[in-house]
Amino acid sequence: MFCFQCEQAAHCTGCTGSAGVCGKSAETANLQDELTGALIGLARAADGSPGVNEGTWSLIIEALFTTLTNVNFDAAAIRDVTARVKAEKSRLVPDCASCMSPCGHNNDYDVSRLWTADEDIRSLKSLILFGIRGMAAYAYHAMVLGYTDGEVNRFFAKALFAIGEDWGMDDLLPLVLEVGEKNYRCMALLDKANTETYGTPEPTTVPLTVEKGPFIVVSGHDLHDLKRLLEQTEGKGINIYTHSETLPAHGYPGLKKYAHLKGNFGTAWQ
């Protein structure tokens, strides 16, 4: 395996061997790379294809989100998403598999080529890849609330396509800057989705004490899942606590109205 996607990377260079510092196994890391390569193949097939639809975009977003370093360590789930990505590519270019003169234009990408590339190219492509993975998390959380942005969706494919190409620094650097631009647009989309769904956040005092009795701790960014959990546990004597990035949930009127959303477990990031 090779993974240097997070600040915990071993020796500040990358995790190798049988497992990463975070506990991610080599199998999981390699499957995430395979999924990334399949996504690049899908982006290639989607380039100029009239068959691209909302299902294509939602799958790209879900799959990119799955490749974030610590989001999904379930090997079977990653294999399932990879199979769906490959199936979508086959739908867009059905004749590729049986072509007698394969051109390679729609091939999946071998991500090991990225990790062993010239360090400047590797750095720029990694910025693009890690950037769109994080952006996909925002896009996914907005998507489950019914909010999407066609410009953001198309950029995911554009960026994936570029990662698979032998482009130089002059071509990649503008794309790195565009990642920041599109990420800002994606964050605005998520903000709109959250505020229109749960209300405008208000300054809120959040207790850090844990009350007696059964409780569930929720971490991450998924306010939709938190809302569903609050609905399912209401009146059952089970308290809910946020953790880490879920802390802002306490400011939304549509979530803070639940009396059993009691407080935050730990400090802001621990």
Side-chain angles (χ1 to χ4, degrees), residues 42-50 52 92 105-106 157 161:
L42 176 56
R44 288 169 166 172
D47 184 34
S49 171
V52 173
L92 294 179
H105 176 74
N106 300 312
F161 185 94

Side-chain angles (χ1 to χ4, degrees), residues 107-158:
N107 285 356
D108 292 352
Y109 180 71
D110 181 359
V111 177
S112 66
R113 292 180 55 196
L114 171 57
W115 307 141
T116 57
D118 168 82
E119 62 181 8
D120 290 329
I121 300 301
R122 181 177 70 240
S123 295
L124 290 171
K125 285 190 174 184
S126 294
L127 279 171
I128 295 168
L129 177 59
F130 300 162
I132 61 173
R133 283 175 172 176
M135 195 166 80
Y138 296 139
Y140 180 85
H141 292 315
M143 183 174 68
V144 297
L145 296 176
Y147 292 76
T148 60
D149 185 308
E151 186 175 329
V152 169
N153 292 345
R154 289 187 292 274
F155 181 73
F156 284 128
K158 176 182 178 180

Side-chain angles (χ1 to χ4, degrees), residues 27-259:
E27 179 189 23
T28 298
N30 293 335
L31 286 171
Q32 288 177 333
D33 280 356
E34 181 185 351
L35 175 52
T36 300
L39 275 167
I40 292 172
L42 176 56
R44 288 169 166 172
D47 184 34
S49 171
V52 173
N53 56 31
E54 289 303 314
T56 309
W57 301 130
S58 63
L59 179 57
I60 287 175
I61 290 169
E62 178 190 351
L64 268 174
F65 188 17
T66 301
T67 64
L68 264 175
T69 182
N70 59 353
V71 166
N72 192 332
F73 287 0
D74 186 331
I78 298 172
R79 288 192 182 95
D80 175 70
V81 177
T82 303
R84 288 162 52 204
V85 168
K86 290 177 179 289
E88 180 65 7
K89 185 179 79 168
S90 295
R91 185 186 71 81
L92 294 179
V93 285
D95 297 330
C96 263
S98 58
C99 180
M100 300 301 293
S101 302
C103 63
H105 176 74
N106 300 312
N107 285 356
D108 292 352
Y109 180 71
D110 181 359
V111 177
S112 66
R113 292 180 55 196
L114 171 57
W115 307 141
T116 57
D118 168 82
E119 62 181 8
D120 290 329
I121 300 301
R122 181 177 70 240
S123 295
L124 290 171
K125 285 190 174 184
S126 294
L127 279 171
I128 295 168
L129 177 59
F130 300 162
I132 61 173
R133 283 175 172 176
M135 195 166 80
Y138 296 139
Y140 180 85
H141 292 315
M143 183 174 68
V144 297
L145 296 176
Y147 292 76
T148 60
D149 185 308
E151 186 175 329
V152 169
N153 292 345
R154 289 187 292 274
F155 181 73
F156 284 128
K158 176 182 178 180
L160 284 165
F161 185 94
I163 293 167
E165 296 299 297
D166 293 326
W167 291 0
M169 293 176 61
D170 290 342
D171 295 313
L172 292 171
L173 185 55
L175 197 60
V176 169
L177 299 178
E178 192 175 357
V179 170
E181 175 193 339
K182 292 301 190 294
N183 186 57
Y184 184 80
R185 184 182 179 98
C186 193
M187 291 176 68
L189 175 69
L190 179 58
D191 178 65
K192 179 181 180 181
N194 284 339
T195 55
E196 291 187 358
T197 302
Y198 306 115
T200 301
E202 307 164 344
T204 303
T205 299
V206 182
L208 298 179
T209 55
V210 178
E211 298 184 9
K212 290 184 178 180
F215 63 90
I216 298 172
V217 178
V218 181
S219 190
H221 299 86
D222 200 328
L223 300 185
H224 177 63
D225 277 359
L226 175 61
K227 175 69 158 46
R228 294 174 64 193
L229 181 63
L230 288 167
E231 292 172 342
Q232 293 165 11
T233 54
E234 189 173 21
K236 292 183 168 58
I238 302 172
N239 291 329
I240 306 298
Y241 293 87
T242 58
H243 171 262
S244 192
E245 291 98 332
T246 320
L247 175 61
H250 293 273
Y252 289 95
L255 299 174
K256 65 187 293 186
K257 69 181 182 181
Y258 291 92

